[in-house]
């Protein structure tokens, strides 16, 4: 999807008159460089509530740019879908910055490559976040049963939190 049409979409999304509330870019062939373009657009958009970037290859050197934009106080994204974006442990630390978001309530990290090492950052994100109500970690098959149980039990420390994991 990258190219002139993606550039046009990012220009429109960053316009002060843009009122797009839901953006579904799942399975569009986005690569890591898209994260920088999305980050720039996110800095200007105050209406986007749902962002689905699932089934794209977003991890790389620009993933942190997107996380910075999504954790900004001006970001209004409430539901963020990152299912199967090839997320590995070396990029999971960037997710902790999402705990700064006061609006993010739902986060989907299903079907990625998170291991027990990366799970400690997921735990930190959950414990630091004041707004997160649901996190989905289905099909992260490299997580041990012990770590899955530990993540599930975080709901005992955060009333109203749902941790979906198998």
């Amino acid at each position: 999807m990258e190219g002139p049409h993606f550039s046009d979409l990012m220009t429109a999304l960053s316009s002060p008159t843009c009122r797009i509330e839901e953006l579904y870019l799942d399975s569009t062939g986005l690569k890591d460089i898209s994260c920088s373009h999305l980050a720039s657009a996110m800095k200007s958009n105050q209406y986007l509530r749902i962002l689905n970037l699932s089934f794209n290859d977003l991890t790389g050197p620009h993933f942190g740019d997107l996380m910075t934009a999504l954790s900004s106080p001006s970001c209004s994204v409430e539901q963020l879908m990152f299912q199967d974006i090839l997320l590995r442990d070396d990029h999971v630390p960037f997710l902790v910055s999402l705990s700064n978001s006061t609006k993010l309530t739902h986060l989907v990290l299903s079907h990625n490559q998170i291991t027990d090492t990366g799970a400690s950052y997921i735990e930190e994100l959950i414990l630091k976040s004041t707004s997160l109500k649901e996190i989905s970690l289905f099909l992260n098959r490299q997580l041990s049963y012990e770590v899955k149980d530990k993540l599930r039990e975080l709901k005992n420390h955060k009333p109203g939190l749902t941790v979906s994991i198998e």
Side-chain angles (χ1 to χ4, degrees):
M1 174 167 182
E2 295 173 35
H5 300 294
F6 183 72
S7 179
D8 292 344
L9 176 61
M10 292 302 101
T11 300
L13 191 61
S14 60
S15 167
T17 60
C18 179
R19 300 288 189 259
I20 293 174
E21 292 186 18
E22 299 180 16
L23 185 60
Y24 296 88
L25 294 174
D26 49 311
S27 303
T28 54
L30 295 177
K31 301 290 182 209
D32 171 64
I33 190 65
S34 305
C35 291
S36 293
H37 303 295
L38 282 162
S40 293
M42 297 302 303
K43 290 177 184 172
S44 305
N45 188 299
Q46 297 184 1
Y47 293 93
L48 190 63
R49 303 281 183 259
I50 299 173
L51 179 59
N52 188 341
L53 297 172
S54 297
F55 305 104
N56 289 295
D57 182 5
L58 298 180
T59 54
H62 303 286
F63 184 71
D65 298 339
L66 181 57
M67 293 300 92
T68 299
L70 289 168
S71 62
S72 162
S74 63
C75 182
S76 57
V77 171
E78 297 170 5
Q79 296 180 30
L80 179 60
M81 283 74 95
F82 276 164
Q83 180 174 336
D84 198 3
I85 61 165
L86 305 179
L87 186 66
R88 295 174 305 278
D89 287 343
D90 54 332
H91 290 92
V92 174
F94 289 111
L95 296 174
V96 176
S97 67
L98 293 174
S99 65
N100 296 327
S101 171
T102 59
K103 297 181 180 86
L104 184 65
T105 58
H106 294 77
L107 179 61
V108 176
L109 299 173
S110 297
H111 208 276
N112 280 291
Q113 300 165 11
I114 303 169
T115 70
D116 290 356
T117 302
S120 63
Y121 295 103
I122 302 295
E123 179 180 2
E124 184 178 351
L125 162 64
I126 292 170
L127 292 173
K128 284 185 172 182
S129 176
T130 59
S131 61
L132 196 59
K133 299 291 179 205
E134 183 175 347
I135 186 166
S136 176
L137 293 158
F138 286 113
L139 297 173
N140 281 284
R141 296 174 194 232
Q142 297 175 12
L143 291 174
S144 69
Y145 290 111
E146 294 81 17
V147 168
K148 288 179 182 181
D149 286 341
K150 184 177 181 182
L151 289 170
R152 272 189 215 101
E153 290 194 19
L154 290 175
K155 65 184 178 186
N156 296 332
H157 302 286
K158 302 280 287 197
L161 174 71
T162 301
V163 179
S164 302
I165 189 169
E166 286 303 319

